[in-house]
Amino acid sequence: MRGGGRAARWLRRGLWVAAVSLGPCGIAALAQAPASVSISEAQAVTQAATRRSNAWEGPTSGPRAQAGKTISLVVDDLRNGGILGVAQGVREAAREIGWNVKLFDAGGTPAGRNDAFADALAARHDGLILLGSDASDSRDALARFAARGVPIVGWHVGPKPGPVPGTPVAMNVTTEPAEVARVTALSAIADSNGKAGVVIFTDSRFGIALAKSGMMATLVRACTGCELLEVRDVPISESAARMPIVTKELLAKYGSRWTHALAINDIYFDYAVPVLTVAGVPAGRLRLVSAGDGSAPAFLRIRARSYQTGTVAEPLNLQGWQTVDELNRLFAGQPTSQFIAPVHLVTSENIEPDVGPAWVYDPANGYREAYRRIWRGR
C-alpha cells in the first residue's frame, strides 16, 4: 500500500484511539486483523453479508411489560438518519408496551447536549434512552440520572455492544462495529478486484466511529494492491458545511487515484455526491460504501446506482424496539438480553427485497411479534 505521511499519521492515531476506546476486546480485534487480505476472502465475506435472513435470532423470553412508565429519549441529533430511525422505533415500541416518551434533541452540539440532559433530568422520568451521544463523554451527566435510580440504555453510545465501562449505561445497542467495518472494507476490496484507492471519513468525537475507521484502515492496508489515501476527520454535525469543501479538495489532491470512499455513516455522502455530480465524476469511477446506518438517501443512491454502491444497514426500527425491551428488563430487575443484530450489507443487487416502500431496512424476521409475546407474558 502507498500513502503519504499525513495519511500514515492519521492511521496510527485512528488505530490507537480506536484500540483504547474499545478496551481489551477492541485491541484484540485490531490485533486479529489479517496481515494480508485476498480477493477471494473479500468476495466471500461480501456475499455472506448480502444474504437475507428471515429468522428471528433475538430473545424469546423475558419480563412482562412494566406498565405506566415515562421515558426520556435524549438524541444527539435528529438530522442523523440513523438516530431518527431508532427514535421512530422507540416510539412505536413504547406505544405497544404502554409507555410515554418525551424527546430531547441535542442538535449535535455540546451546548445542546447539556441542555437536553438538564431538561430530561428536571423532568424526573422513569428511564432514559440515549441515542448517538458518546456515553463516556457524558458520564457526569449520566451519573446524575443513575444517582436517582434511573436505568439507562443507549444506542451507538459506545464502541461495542453491551454495558459501557465507566458509565451507568447498562446496554449499548449496536451491531458489532468491528464486523461492520470488516464487511465495509472488504466489499470495497472485492468491488475493486483488490485495487482500491481509499479515503475513509470518520468522526473522532465518537469511540464507535474511530473503532470502525481504524478497522477499515487496517484492512485496506492489508490489501497489497490497494492504497489508503487518507483518513479524514469530519464531525457528523458539520458534514453539511464541510463535506462539499473536503470533497473538492480530495478530488484535486488525488484525482483518479481515489476510487472508493468509505465512511462511518451515510450522511457524509449526502453532501459529497452533489459535488461529484457537478464535477462530472462518473458514478462508476468513484464508488461509496458506508459502515452505517442505512438512510433513505443512501438507499435512493444505491437503487439509482448513483455513486453509492453499499451501506451496512442497521435494523434501526428493530433496534428501537430492542432499547425499549432492554429498559423493560432493567425495570423488572433482570439483566439485559445482550442481543446483537447480525451485520447486513445492502447493495443494488439485494435492495429490492431488503428495502420496502418506506425506504428503511426493516428485516421481516418477526421481531415485533417476538417482543409482543415477551411483554404479554406468552
Side-chain angles (χ1 to χ4, degrees), residues 23-197:
C25 292
I27 294 171
L30 291 173
Q32 291 169 6
S36 63
V37 172
S38 69
I39 297 173
S40 60
E41 175 195 357
Q43 292 171 338
V45 169
T46 302
Q47 290 171 3
T50 57
R51 295 193 190 105
R52 299 187 74 196
S53 175
N54 294 328
W56 172 239
E57 301 176 26
T60 56
S61 63
R64 294 176 63 95
Q66 307 297 296
K69 303 297 183 181
T70 300
I71 308 303
S72 291
L73 180 61
V74 175
V75 305
D76 191 69
D77 191 346
L78 274 181
R79 292 170 296 184
N80 181 308
I83 290 174
L84 177 61
V86 178
Q88 291 169 337
V90 169
R91 287 194 177 278
E92 182 182 279
R95 287 194 297 269
E96 190 70 31
I97 203 172
W99 294 353
N100 296 313
V101 176
K102 172 67 175 177
L103 177 71
F104 302 90
D105 184 3
T109 68
R113 203 170 297 120
N114 291 336
D115 289 344
F117 280 127
D119 291 344
L121 188 68
R124 294 183 173 273
H125 293 153
D126 301 297
L128 171 65
I129 295 176
L130 179 64
L131 305 185
S133 297
D134 194 287
S136 295
D137 288 345
S138 304
R139 60 168 57 92
D140 291 341
L142 296 175
R144 289 190 278 274
F145 288 89
R148 293 183 177 177
V150 176
I152 305 171
V153 171
W155 175 86
H156 281 209
V157 298
K160 62 178 182 176
V164 180
T167 80
V169 176
M171 179 66 186
N172 177 37
V173 175
T174 179
T175 47
E176 183 57 60
E179 184 62 16
V180 170
R182 177 171 174 260
V183 167
T184 303
L186 293 183
S187 71
I189 292 170
D191 177 69
S192 68
N193 202 30
K195 298 177 181 178

Side-chain angles (χ1 to χ4, degrees), residues 6 8 34 159 209 257 287 302 322:
R6 181 162 66 172
R257 291 166 60 198
R287 298 160 75 82
I302 292 169
Q322 184 183 349

Side-chain angles (χ1 to χ4, degrees), residues 44-373:
V45 169
T46 302
Q47 290 171 3
T50 57
R51 295 193 190 105
R52 299 187 74 196
S53 175
N54 294 328
W56 172 239
E57 301 176 26
T60 56
S61 63
R64 294 176 63 95
Q66 307 297 296
K69 303 297 183 181
T70 300
I71 308 303
S72 291
L73 180 61
V74 175
V75 305
D76 191 69
D77 191 346
L78 274 181
R79 292 170 296 184
N80 181 308
I83 290 174
L84 177 61
V86 178
Q88 291 169 337
V90 169
R91 287 194 177 278
E92 182 182 279
R95 287 194 297 269
E96 190 70 31
I97 203 172
W99 294 353
N100 296 313
V101 176
K102 172 67 175 177
L103 177 71
F104 302 90
D105 184 3
T109 68
R113 203 170 297 120
N114 291 336
D115 289 344
F117 280 127
D119 291 344
L121 188 68
R124 294 183 173 273
H125 293 153
D126 301 297
L128 171 65
I129 295 176
L130 179 64
L131 305 185
S133 297
D134 194 287
S136 295
D137 288 345
S138 304
R139 60 168 57 92
D140 291 341
L142 296 175
R144 289 190 278 274
F145 288 89
R148 293 183 177 177
V150 176
I152 305 171
V153 171
W155 175 86
H156 281 209
V157 298
K160 62 178 182 176
V164 180
T167 80
V169 176
M171 179 66 186
N172 177 37
V173 175
T174 179
T175 47
E176 183 57 60
E179 184 62 16
V180 170
R182 177 171 174 260
V183 167
T184 303
L186 293 183
S187 71
I189 292 170
D191 177 69
S192 68
N193 202 30
K195 298 177 181 178
V198 179
V199 171
I200 299 172
F201 295 103
T202 192
D203 186 338
S204 62
R205 299 174 304 161
F206 302 106
I208 191 170
L210 286 172
K212 288 180 179 179
S213 58
M215 178 60 79
M216 288 190 288
T218 299
L219 290 166
V220 173
R221 293 183 74 198
C223 170
T224 55
C226 298
E227 180 180 12
L228 178 64
L229 299 172
E230 191 168 330
V231 180
R232 181 62 69 98
D233 185 16
V234 179
I236 287 176
S237 59
E238 299 175 19
S239 56
R242 293 182 56 180
M243 280 304 294
I245 299 169
V246 168
T247 304
K248 291 178 184 177
E249 176 188 327
L250 293 170
L251 285 172
K253 184 176 182 180
Y254 297 115
S256 61
R257 291 166 60 198
W258 184 20
T259 67
H260 287 75
L262 309 181
I264 54 93
N265 192 281
D266 291 307
I267 197 170
Y268 292 104
F269 301 150
D270 293 352
Y271 306 105
V273 165
V275 175
L276 299 177
T277 303
V278 171
V281 178
R285 210 240 341 130
L286 182 54
R287 298 160 75 82
L288 319 177
V289 189
S290 172
D293 299 309
S295 68
F299 292 141
L300 282 167
R301 290 189 291 267
I302 292 169
R303 179 169 279 167
R305 299 178 186 266
S306 176
Y307 298 101
Q308 189 161 356
T309 59
T311 180
V312 180
E314 300 219 43
L316 302 173
N317 200 76
L318 182 160
Q319 290 175 327
W321 279 65
Q322 184 183 349
T323 61
V324 169
D325 180 67
E326 305 292 8
L327 200 57
N328 189 61
R329 291 168 189 268
L330 297 174
F331 284 138
Q334 296 190 17
T336 57
S337 73
Q338 299 297 302
F339 170 58
I340 303 173
V343 172
H344 185 71
L345 176 66
V346 174
T347 68
S348 60
E349 284 72 32
N350 64 10
I351 193 167
E352 293 301 334
D354 279 349
V355 178
W359 294 99
V360 295
Y361 170 56
D362 195 20
N365 58 14
Y367 70 88
R368 290 179 176 86
E369 186 56 32
Y371 282 124
R372 289 188 188 107
R373 287 180 177 275

